[in-house]
Amino acid sequence: MDYEVILLAAGQGKRMKASRNKILLHLMGKPVISYSLNTFMNDPACKHIILVTQQDEQELLRDLVGKVKKKQHCPVTIVTGGCERQYSVYNGLQVMNNQHNIVMVHDGARPFVTLSQLKMLHKKVRETRTAILGVPVKDTIKRVVNGTVQETIPRETLWQIQTPQVFYGNELLTAHEQANTEGFLGTDESSLIEKYSELPVSMVLGSYENIKLTTPEDMLIGEAMVKRKRS
Ligand code: CTP
Ligand code: MG
């Protein structure tokens, strides 16, 4: 079974402190969003890209989609996002070709996801119905309240979670609907599945390079990674 992807680009990029949405900033001559668009467009298993954007950036993104080099045809639907990431995903779920399909949810602000990671996630979701990408944490993590350390959390069990996060559309939609009813806002899709579904969520080992461009120094790291890949 193939998959559809919800590619998120409808944020404001406030922490990037730039004059425009960070997914449109250039990374070595190409807009950030073009990198992941390119990766999904050239994955033969990807049958539909749902690009979730701000209303007033849709023309611009339509142009960008036209410029991506493609080896195959993958239809792109552009939809308007919501005021929270979770609502943007929900809007994307509404326009799936078939809600029984597998859906990958990916942050447009993560340009470095690779085809081999998509393949691993796709294989895992078909085995267990869930698959999310992440890496074990490297730093020591402590819980701190009002400037005082409360405890050190055993690091062996801690992972940093990334995207793509992959589920079956109908199962993710049910979790979203329950979250909407209760007014629960999660920071990722997995947290909704953990809270509203019986399904255990499977981890797939990603890469420390699959960073989310969040603050200005991330752009420098991102540029260094593109340079290395090109050299
Ligand atoms: N996103 C979205 N809709 C929202 C909020 C975020 O589609 N209402 C997308 C962003 O475009 C980004 C991804 O979700 O690709 C991850 O979110 P984040 O890194 O928080 O991006 P922003 O919300 O844009 O940044 P900030 O929180 O700094 O404003
Ligand atoms: Mg945000």
Side-chain angles (χ1 to χ4, degrees):
M1 194 199 244
D2 302 312
Y3 70 86
E4 304 183 41
V5 58
I6 296 175
L7 186 54
L8 295 169
Q12 307 268 330
K14 284 193 197 127
R15 287 168 289 174
M16 190 57 80
K17 296 190 169 67
S19 55
R20 63 198 314 204
N21 186 352
K22 62 186 178 181
I23 55 105
L24 295 171
L25 295 179
H26 278 218
L27 197 61
M28 299 293 290
K30 263 181 25 179
V32 167
I33 190 71
S34 302
Y35 289 83
S36 52
L37 255 177
N38 187 295
T39 306
F40 283 105
M41 271 196 178
N42 290 300
D43 180 358
C46 180
K47 294 300 173 206
H48 184 201
I49 297 174
I50 299 162
L51 183 57
V52 190
T53 74
Q54 290 177 32
Q55 183 86 50
D56 59 357
E57 288 175 347
Q58 295 194 344
E59 285 291 300
L60 229 148
L61 280 154
R62 213 176 296 280
D63 283 353
L64 280 183
V65 167
K67 286 183 189 146
V68 173
K69 287 199 193 101
K70 332 171 177 54
K71 294 188 205 109
Q72 56 163 18
H73 176 68
C74 180
V76 178
T77 303
I78 297 182
V79 291
T80 304
C83 59
E84 297 285 350
R85 183 186 177 284
Q86 184 173 311
Y87 304 145
S88 292
V89 175
Y90 183 77
N91 291 0
L93 286 168
Q94 307 304 314
V95 300
M96 285 183 71
N97 287 339
N98 181 339
Q99 280 166 343
H100 290 89
N101 282 347
I102 290 167
V103 64
M104 295 208 183
V105 178
H106 185 61
D107 293 329
R110 288 186 196 272
F112 303 120
V113 66
T114 64
L115 209 49
S116 76
Q117 288 161 358
L118 300 185
K119 282 206 177 101
M120 286 191 291
L121 288 162
H122 194 205
K123 181 167 181 281
K124 182 59 91 180
V125 77
R126 281 174 295 165
E127 289 163 6
T128 69
R129 307 189 75 77
T130 60
I132 69 172
L133 203 62
V135 285
V137 301
K138 294 184 190 177
D139 292 328
T140 296
I141 308 280
K142 296 187 194 290
R143 205 161 58 79
V144 177
V145 177
N146 296 331
T148 306
V149 171
Q150 309 291 306
E151 62 168 331
T152 302
I153 303 166
R155 194 170 53 193
E156 307 76 65
T157 61
L158 295 179
W159 285 56
Q160 273 167 240
I161 304 307
Q162 308 170 340
T163 67
Q165 299 197 353
V166 195
F167 305 96
Y168 281 78
N170 54 334
E171 286 170 347
L172 185 56
L173 187 59
T174 303
H176 268 263
E177 279 164 353
Q178 281 174 278
N180 289 348
T181 308
E182 285 188 13
F184 174 78
L185 266 187
T187 51
D188 68 350
E189 304 347 294
S190 180
S191 58
L192 304 190
I193 294 290
E194 291 155 41
K195 195 167 162 69
Y196 297 109
S197 146
E198 301 285 299
L199 288 168
V201 177
S202 303
M203 277 305 315
V204 171
L205 179 63
S207 151
Y208 291 97
E209 293 193 7
N210 183 27
I211 59 168
K212 181 159 69 68
L213 301 173
T214 306
T215 52
E217 58 279 6
D218 294 333
M219 294 301 285
L220 298 175
I221 299 167
E223 278 180 12
M225 290 202 299
V226 180
K227 269 188 201 153
R228 201 197 56 202
K229 279 181 217 280
R230 285 188 191 167
S231 65

